[in-house]
Amino acid sequence: MALDEARKAQLRGEVPVGAVLLDSNGQVVAADGNRTEELSDASAHAEMLVLRAAGRLRGSARLPDCEIVVTLEPCPMCAAAISAFRVGRVVFGAYDPKGGGIEHGPQLYRAPGSHFRPEVVGGVREGEAAGLLKAFFAELRR
Amino acid sequence: MALDEARKAQLRGEVPVGAVLLDSNGQVVAADGNRTEELSDASAHAEMLVLRAAGRLRGSARLPDCEIVVTLEPCPMCAAAISAFRVGRVVFGAYDPKGGGIEHGPQLYRAPGSHFRPEVVGGVREGEAAGLLKAFFAELRR
């Protein structure tokens, strides 16, 4: 589903990243893709959109029973937001050595001051997720 | 103005942090305070709200001519968002040794992988900004 959201983002002219937020029963709470161009909002990454949608739906800014699945390693902004929403688990596809904030860069959940550290599983269907991004950027450069 | 926004946030039952976004002529583009409780959105920090409002108003996710003034040192999420919006300058009031992401914690703009580093001025009217927060949390603990 997150890969589908990434493909839909690409059709909208956005960087192809998609995210899904699931509850503890595996039910989908929110699903979306990147909308930074559409919304003129540099913070409108897929993760931020599903977190905010879930908060609105639930009437709560805390989502401890939830898991977020995203096609790309979250950037520092999204990694920090996932922690602020107290999401219990993060599953991501492609690693992002340049822009990632969990396994790369500031490695936010490993920082001593980290208030809340979600469980992290990286590299799930990595090839497909990375492939979408590679094809998108190769096309941009043509 | 940012201090006034922080006081208004407190009257709404929110952590008293306020932010103003100014253009290069010093004109106010957006002003707001923390609304995490009201919006059930852990990402609804004052900085995120003014950045998103300005993006919508301008029809652009890039605000390089702008300056953000905020009463508290931005957290990692907001520090990363400020950089993603390419805001040229950050002025903040109180330092935040526990939760800050610019001068403390991951010190995001000093990281080797930082794509865009805004100019930073910290400690402006620090006493007033910190005083609001201290009074708020002292009241919560009563």
Side-chain angles (χ1 to χ4, degrees):
Chain A
M1 266 192 75
L3 286 164
D4 279 343
E5 291 295 338
R7 287 183 203 105
K8 287 196 272 179
Q10 180 160 13
L11 293 175
R12 296 190 301 266
E14 305 277 358
V15 176
V17 178
V20 180
L21 196 92
L22 306 161
D23 68 17
S24 56
N25 298 316
Q27 295 295 306
V28 174
V29 182
D32 211 342
N34 189 11
R35 295 184 188 268
T36 56
E37 298 298 323
E38 176 190 341
L39 302 176
S40 301
D41 178 356
S43 80
H45 288 183
E47 301 95 308
M48 298 295 280
L49 296 176
V50 298
L51 291 167
R52 290 170 44 208
R56 272 196 305 274
L57 279 166
R58 292 273 194 92
S60 169
R62 299 282 180 268
L63 307 164
D65 61 313
C66 291
E67 165 173 324
I68 189 167
V69 179
V70 54
T71 58
L72 180 65
E73 179 184 348
C75 75
M77 173 184 72
C78 292
I82 289 165
S83 172
F85 273 95
R86 306 287 188 266
V87 173
R89 194 165 183 250
V90 185
V91 176
F92 68 82
Y95 287 89
D96 188 355
K98 278 190 197 167
I102 294 179
E103 301 294 345
H104 298 93
Q107 300 187 28
L108 284 181
Y109 304 155
R110 291 189 186 123
S114 182
H115 299 302
F116 178 85
R117 300 157 198 254
E119 185 190 336
V120 176
V121 181
V124 176
R125 295 180 67 172
E126 184 180 359
E128 285 161 273
L132 279 172
L133 287 157
K134 272 178 206 154
F136 177 81
F137 287 111
E139 186 65 27
L140 272 192
R141 274 185 229 105
R142 273 177 49 162
Chain B
M1 267 193 76
L3 287 163
D4 279 343
E5 291 294 338
R7 286 182 203 105
K8 286 196 273 178
Q10 180 160 14
L11 293 175
R12 295 190 301 266
E14 305 277 358
V15 175
V17 178
V20 180
L21 195 92
L22 306 162
D23 67 16
S24 57
N25 297 317
Q27 295 294 306
V28 174
V29 181
D32 211 340
N34 188 12
R35 294 183 188 270
T36 56
E37 298 299 323
E38 176 190 339
L39 302 177
S40 301
D41 178 357
S43 79
H45 288 182
E47 300 95 309
M48 297 296 279
L49 296 176
V50 298
L51 291 167
R52 290 170 44 207
R56 272 196 306 274
L57 279 165
R58 291 275 194 90
S60 169
R62 299 282 180 271
L63 308 164
D65 61 311
C66 290
E67 166 174 323
I68 189 167
V69 179
V70 53
T71 58
L72 180 66
E73 179 184 348
C75 74
M77 173 185 73
C78 292
I82 290 165
S83 172
F85 273 95
R86 306 288 188 267
V87 172
R89 194 165 183 249
V90 185
V91 176
F92 67 83
Y95 287 89
D96 188 355
K98 278 189 197 165
I102 294 179
E103 301 294 344
H104 297 93
Q107 301 187 30
L108 284 181
Y109 304 156
R110 291 191 186 120
S114 182
H115 300 302
F116 179 86
R117 301 156 197 256
E119 185 190 336
V120 176
V121 181
V124 177
R125 296 180 67 172
E126 183 179 0
E128 285 161 273
L132 280 173
L133 287 157
K134 272 178 205 155
F136 177 81
F137 287 110
E139 186 66 27
L140 273 193
R141 275 185 229 105
R142 272 176 51 158

